[in-house]
Amino acid sequence: KFQETDASGCVLARNMNEIASVEVDLQVALRIAKHAGEMQKTVDFGDVFGVQLGSTIEISQALPRLTPNVRRVNADEHAKAIKEAEAIVERASRTYKSIMSNNFLDANRVGFYTISDPFRLYQEKNIKSLEALVDANSPAVMLVHDKSRTKRGRLHLRAFVLTNAYITFHRQRHNEASKQINEVQLRRKMRVCGVYEQGVLREVPVSIRCSLEQQLLLADSVATPELPRMADNIDQRIQYGTALLQNYSRGIHNFNKSLNSHTYGVNRKLRERDYQRDSGNTVVMDIEEKDVNNVDINTLLGLASLTEQAEHIQAVCDSVLMNLAVAKKL
């Protein structure tokens, strides 16, 4: 059907089904969790491979991006550690190239995963990585593994994709890259495309695919974790909530700084425009009062991060209050 309507064949088709869910193989989830347990950095990344079937992305393979940390002890030990690190990266690189050279479904890159706290996912570099996949007409999904929440006894894995509005905006911006478009016009285009209403990222549900053989293997190996004392559990949650509030306070400060900088910049351009108009000069500055409401991508991502942090803090506080109420009755 595609070849009848397009002389170049179906390879140039750009309109893929909207992603509605992500299905992750059990071995992929375990590999990401193992990577998180072994990493020494606060943030790390890896690539995921699979295929999109209909509106579902099936992920069957994951490879970490190895950038090992080398501790400087002395010159000899440092040189030895450098060689070991280079050997690890070289082996991983050979494995990666071997997978990519084979025409298997497992060699089709459909996104990446990041191991960090869930509020660091709202960063421009992650958006750029998803944009690169969209430009290659490939499925684009970002898996987020929260190490701290997983330690509480349940695998915390989420999936995000770009919203339709942002994909439309990105493609229009890419098609008009040769034109000289200023920042004000770019933000107007974001509003027209609906980015301010839909946002930049959209979360989709994640399910873990577990075969019958994997279920049989796990049946005898899963141990029941020892439950903590209620007093210790409440104390840990209070400490966790306090750390969240401190991080939220820093985020509010940075967000206000970014917003004030944007407002100041727009107001300055408005004053320059009015000065040119009052002086009888030709007004060449394309800016309006309503442009003060058109913020940039970083401000949108910061707002999304603060919103999610506030909801998480509320959930933690509700949990602490519920535990305290149960402890009081006991």
Side-chain angles (χ1 to χ4, degrees), residues 207-273:
S207 60
I208 306 295
R209 182 176 64 247
C210 187
S211 65
L212 180 60
E213 291 82 1
Q214 291 170 332
Q215 293 179 34
L216 292 173
L217 288 172
L218 289 173
D220 299 328
S221 61
V222 177
T224 303
E226 184 180 352
L227 296 177
R229 292 171 55 247
M230 180 172 287
D232 294 339
N233 186 32
I234 293 175
D235 185 56
Q236 289 175 4
R237 287 185 176 272
I238 290 176
Q239 292 178 5
Y240 179 59
T242 303
L244 285 175
L245 282 172
Q246 292 174 350
N247 188 51
Y248 183 72
S249 177
R250 288 193 295 269
I252 286 282
H253 175 73
N254 294 333
F255 178 76
N256 285 334
K257 231 171 122 183
S258 172
L259 202 57
N260 291 337
S261 174
H262 162 72
T263 305
Y264 174 79
V266 173
N267 288 333
R268 181 175 57 81
K269 291 179 181 178
L270 287 171
R271 288 194 299 269
E272 291 177 3
R273 183 204 65 180

Side-chain angles (χ1 to χ4, degrees), residues 53-186:
L53 297 177
S55 59
T56 301
I57 291 183
E58 296 185 0
I59 298 176
S60 54
Q61 182 66 275
L63 284 177
R65 299 176 189 170
L66 288 182
T67 53
N69 292 330
V70 178
R71 294 169 52 190
R72 185 183 295 274
V73 183
N74 56 51
D76 294 336
E77 293 183 2
H78 182 68
K80 182 180 178 182
I82 285 287
K83 289 182 179 179
E84 292 176 353
E86 289 176 347
I88 293 174
V89 173
E90 178 62 26
R91 286 199 300 272
S93 178
R94 286 200 300 269
T95 303
Y96 188 90
K97 290 178 182 178
S98 173
I99 290 177
M100 295 301 292
S101 63
N102 296 321
N103 294 322
F104 299 138
L105 293 180
D106 286 357
N108 180 37
R109 183 167 177 258
V110 295
F112 63 96
Y113 69 85
T114 174
I115 303 170
S116 66
D117 65 67
F119 315 121
R120 292 192 181 185
L121 68 95
Y122 298 101
Q123 293 185 348
E124 192 174 9
K125 63 180 180 181
N126 293 336
I127 307 302
K128 295 293 184 186
S129 298
L130 291 174
E131 288 176 357
L133 289 166
V134 170
D135 291 339
N137 299 331
S138 171
V141 63
M142 173 174 62
L143 294 181
V144 181
H145 178 270
D146 187 352
K147 191 175 177 180
S148 60
R149 293 197 207 180
T150 301
K151 286 182 178 178
R152 298 179 180 274
R154 182 178 179 181
L155 179 66
H156 193 86
L157 195 64
R158 303 167 67 191
F160 291 86
V161 298
L162 296 175
T163 61
N164 292 333
Y166 187 81
I167 292 175
T168 302
F169 161 73
H170 170 67
R171 284 177 174 165
Q172 289 185 10
R173 180 181 59 180
H174 182 73
N175 293 335
E176 299 177 1
S178 58
K179 301 179 181 178
Q180 293 183 352
I181 302 178
N182 58 37
E183 195 67 25
V184 174
Q185 294 172 331
L186 203 61

Side-chain angles (χ1 to χ4, degrees), residues 184 188 265-267 269-270 273 277 285-289 291:
V184 174
R188 286 179 189 167
V266 173
N267 288 333
K269 291 179 181 178
L270 287 171
R273 183 204 65 180
R277 183 180 297 163
M285 194 169 293
D286 179 24
I287 192 165
E288 302 172 3
E289 281 76 6
D291 287 326

